[in-house]
Amino acid sequence: MRLNRMSKLWVLSLVLVFVVSMIAGCGGDNKSAEKQFINIATGGTAGTYYPLGGAVAEILNKNIPGMNASAQSTGATVANINMLKEGTVELAFVQNDIVYYAANGIEMFKDKKVDTLKGITTLYPETVQIVTLESSGIKNVSELKGKRVAVGAAGSGVEANARQILEAYSITYNDINVQYLSFAEAASALKDGNVDVAFVTAGFPTAAVQDIASQNQVRLLPVDAAKADEMIKKYPFYTKTIIPADTYAGLATDTPAVAVMAMLVVNEKVSPELGYDITKAIFSNLERLQSSHSVGKMITKEGARQGMPIELNAGAEKFFKE
């Protein structure tokens, strides 16, 4: 009886030693092995944000211990900012002009200020393209008074871009025949002769503009340097850019333009430590972004704060100072 009891005690001791050793062995890596869940808001499946978001999720999962990141299709920038605010996503692709509006409670975020967003990085320019047909005879924004102008969907970022560029040329909506049309609707209206000019904000080449150029000779209206400087002074999220000749069929010359920036933002759930890990993982694996979409080639560490409209996550800021 006594031997049997001693045997049980001996077995129990072995089990306790095993458990303690397992805890001790895992203790050093316990923090890094903790599961971290990141939901990434992108855009429509046919857009640019979606493939980039999938690549970012893959990068984070491969390079941050315990990470479980997933990208989801969304209604893009405005919807993404609201999802960040609600806490249903932690990381999102957005346009920097819309982030500026949200942070300052203006435009579509009037009386709905969102002051919990922090920047990770700006990515690449989304250019405001002012498209007309060669046959219209229009060569400059200053000639748009009295014209039928597609300014984007009502309340959209494109519509705000159009209004701000027209303002730089002292043109208001009272001076033009305003048409609130989406990219696809504007392209159809141009081809059918129902509008004279359309504003499109997107990375170039843009499918909607390519579609027009495949059947018609297009012209892009320039935003001259002085007007661009005036806009940037008032709206600091804009940057200058050039749309190169041959971006679209028959486009013979470079076109000076203004652009907003696609960017990545996080909410307050993302700590400085995680913000650092996210930023470092992305910029250590840029080739994966480049392989996911052609605009990936425009993403650089040197340009990561160009057009940044809000404070950086402290971890991202630390990474860029290294």
Side-chain angles (χ1 to χ4, degrees), residues 18-306:
F18 177 76
V19 170
V20 170
S21 66
M22 286 292 291
I23 292 172
C26 295
D29 296 326
N30 192 47
K31 185 177 179 181
S32 63
E34 287 178 359
K35 277 290 182 187
Q36 303 185 80
F37 294 90
I38 292 286
N39 293 307
I40 305 170
T42 62
T45 55
T48 307
Y49 290 173
Y50 187 73
L52 287 175
V56 168
E58 183 182 312
I59 288 169
L60 301 188
N61 288 334
K62 286 184 175 180
N63 293 276
I64 301 177
M67 176 57 65
N68 187 332
S70 59
Q72 60 189 78
S73 175
T74 70
T77 297
V78 174
N80 292 355
I81 290 173
N82 287 324
M83 292 169 78
L84 283 165
K85 182 180 179 181
E86 293 160 5
T88 54
V89 301
E90 292 75 38
L91 177 65
F93 286 79
V94 291
Q95 284 184 196
N96 69 337
D97 54 336
I98 312 298
V99 172
Y100 180 88
Y101 303 149
N104 290 279
I106 59 175
E107 294 289 351
M108 67 285 290
F109 285 95
K110 184 173 174 60
D111 302 323
K112 295 179 288 185
K113 187 175 180 179
V114 184
D115 55 9
T116 54
L117 305 178
K118 298 293 182 183
I120 291 294
T121 180
T122 53
L123 298 167
Y124 60 89
E126 299 200 87
T127 303
V128 187
Q129 301 166 72
I130 311 170
V131 189
T132 188
L133 302 186
E134 193 81 29
S135 57
S136 73
I138 301 169
K139 296 182 179 179
N140 195 281
V141 176
S142 61
E143 300 170 17
L144 294 188
K145 289 185 178 181
K147 304 299 183 182
R148 300 165 299 171
V149 182
V151 297
S156 67
V158 181
E159 189 267 323
N161 297 149
R163 186 161 21 88
Q164 290 155 3
I165 289 174
L166 291 170
E167 176 189 54
Y169 284 84
S170 301
I171 297 173
T172 71
Y173 281 1
N174 292 329
D175 299 318
I176 61 174
N177 183 345
V178 178
Q179 305 287 317
Y180 295 102
L181 302 174
S182 69
F183 287 5
E185 292 168 338
S188 295
L190 268 176
K191 288 188 292 186
D192 296 340
N194 293 325
V195 299
D196 300 304
V197 174
F199 282 79
V200 175
T201 303
F204 57 76
T206 306
V209 183
Q210 286 177 313
D211 181 48
I212 303 167
S214 68
Q215 302 175 40
N216 303 271
Q217 181 63 51
V218 299
R219 173 184 288 146
L220 300 182
L221 304 185
V223 176
D224 65 69
K227 299 297 185 185
D229 289 338
E230 182 182 321
M231 289 179 65
I232 292 167
K233 186 174 180 180
K234 186 170 184 178
Y235 305 107
F237 46 80
Y238 280 111
T239 61
K240 293 180 184 178
T241 191
I242 295 290
I243 305 171
D246 300 323
T247 296
Y248 301 107
L251 192 66
T253 59
D254 292 349
T255 306
V258 291
V260 293
M261 296 293 290
M263 61 180 290
L264 281 170
V265 297
V266 293
N267 60 17
E268 73 278 11
K269 288 184 179 182
V270 175
S271 67
E273 294 76 20
L274 182 53
Y276 177 87
D277 289 343
I278 288 170
T279 312
K280 182 177 180 180
I282 289 170
F283 283 96
S284 299
N285 294 275
L286 287 179
E287 70 285 347
R288 179 64 188 90
L289 295 181
Q290 293 166 1
S291 68
S292 70
H293 195 282
S294 59
V295 298
K297 296 179 177 62
M298 304 175 78
I299 302 171
T300 65
K301 186 176 179 180
E302 292 71 27
R305 285 174 283 184
Q306 184 181 15

